[in-house]
Amino acid sequence: SLIELCDIDSNILDSTERLEVHDEVADLSQSPHSVVAEEPVSSSVGSAEEIVSSEQDNRRSVTEEESGVGETADAPVRRRRGTVRVNSIRGHKVTRKLSINPGDTIISTSQRDFVQLGGHQGHFHIAGPGALWKQQAKDGEVEAKVLKELNESSLHAYVPDFLGTKEHDGKRWIGMEDVMCHFTDGCGMDIKMGTRTFKEFEVKNQKLREDLYNKMVNLDPSEPTEQENTDKAVTKLRYMTFRERESSSQTLGFRVEAMKIWNQETNKDFKTLKYKDQVKNALKIYFNPLSRSGIEGFVRELENLSQLLEESTYFKEHEFVGTSLLFVYDRERVGIWMIDFGKTTEISDLVEGGQITHDKPWELGNYEDGYFFGLRNLLTVVKEIYDERGPEDETSQQYTTIRVN
């Protein structure tokens, strides 16, 4: 899952390794997001591409001659001037650069920590200003491929920028935009989307497993059938569908994974919430610091994303299993991003017609993931929370969405 905070104090930027920025971007020495390695940065990542978001139009300026992420990285090499499509960040310019190797020690005097909302600890590292390294899964380079393709699709505005890949210390890493650096002291929430968070091939083996039976009994002793109690074993399909049923993934098509709001510890105690009212109350905790204007901004973000997904051929030709929506706000703006694509699979050659609806109930072999079912329910709940907020006076904080819509 995505990183929740990554603020690094700027006054500690090492003068011997000062990072290059475009002339039109504010000097990073004055930015709250400058970073520095304790030792000189390896030249293999020092020539990373720099990307600037501008509010002037709905495109991203790029350097006149962009190189990849370094000699050992396999980011696409662009040699021509021009622009590439990306969301415009309203009133906010940021440089994204891969300039630090994964795992390099970062000097920081910040009182705020580098915190993950979910996922495996240690799989994220600061990569440079506005950028992160994410360790790729052992089963291949699926996430890097999907993130790159999404950056080139009509959904580009709702995913982190893809900045290339790199091998370091025997591991493969994805360089990507750190979306939190568009915010000052941002509050994050991870929403796992869909009715199914496992891939079909994971559950096709009908072998009875004692370990999964024991896990089931630990979660709910009354769940196993008489035959399962006799066998003291269940198939992985049986266990995984049971596990999904224990959360709102089955009932609503989404579940709250974790959230972090001001002056509170990261909260991950939501996975057993099944019903709409329970989930709604959890979402109210996250939205509580916002004015009505801020919640309205999230409604607009969800509506825009829903429309883009409905029109996207790429989305229809892939199952988006185990992905999340990352919600972020600070005291001025709100935004949403699609994240976590390690289990996303192209299904155009696997189903009749080459596309799925993301809405029909899942059956083994139809590859449906329930993403639209979940997005529709999520939008309904957020709208209800917005409608339940009473009128606010003109002194209430007015929010903008992170994108110029």
Side-chain angles (χ1 to χ4, degrees), residues 32-170:
H33 304 301
S34 299
V35 295
V36 60
E38 192 168 16
E39 296 179 0
V41 180
S42 168
S43 60
S44 64
V45 292
S47 60
E49 68 177 353
E50 301 171 2
I51 302 168
V52 179
S53 292
S54 169
E55 63 178 339
Q56 295 176 352
D57 56 23
N58 199 37
R59 296 179 180 272
R60 176 178 65 201
S61 299
V62 296
T63 56
E64 293 185 0
E65 180 172 315
E66 291 185 65
S67 64
V69 184
E71 295 175 359
T72 60
D74 46 20
V77 177
R78 303 187 185 96
R79 295 296 184 187
R80 67 180 186 275
R81 299 185 183 187
T83 57
V84 291
R85 297 171 302 167
V86 79
N87 52 298
S88 174
I89 303 303
R90 186 193 300 271
H92 189 64
K93 296 181 180 180
V94 63
T95 291
R96 305 177 188 91
K97 181 177 179 181
L98 303 179
S99 56
I100 295 174
N101 282 313
D104 280 357
T105 301
I106 307 300
I107 305 172
S108 175
T109 59
S110 173
Q111 296 302 307
R112 289 182 296 237
D113 294 326
F114 188 74
V115 180
Q116 284 185 226
L117 285 178
H120 298 291
Q121 294 297 318
H123 279 210
F124 286 92
H125 292 286
I126 292 172
L132 294 173
W133 290 116
K134 180 178 181 180
Q135 186 177 333
Q136 296 191 59
K138 295 180 180 179
D139 58 352
E141 301 180 358
V142 173
E143 183 156 22
K145 177 178 181 292
V146 172
L147 184 58
K148 180 179 181 295
E149 292 171 346
L150 286 171
N151 268 249
E152 299 168 351
S153 77
S154 60
L155 301 173
H156 63 91
Y158 280 88
V159 298
D161 287 344
F162 172 71
L163 302 179
T165 61
K166 178 179 178 61
E167 186 166 347
H168 183 71
D169 285 344

Side-chain angles (χ1 to χ4, degrees), residues 4-7 32-33 89 92 94 112 177-188 262 286 298 301 326-337 399-403:
E4 179 264 321
L5 284 176
C6 69
D7 288 312
H33 304 301
I89 303 303
H92 189 64
V94 63
R112 289 182 296 237
E177 172 190 17
D178 173 15
V179 301
M180 292 301 300
C181 285
H182 296 300
F183 300 86
T184 301
D185 196 15
C187 298
W262 295 310
Y286 179 71
F298 278 120
E301 286 279 85
L326 178 67
F327 286 59
V328 190
Y329 65 77
D330 58 14
R331 291 173 174 82
E332 296 181 355
R333 53 175 67 89
V334 305
I336 292 175
W337 282 265
Y399 282 79
T400 59
T401 57
I402 198 70
R403 298 167 183 88

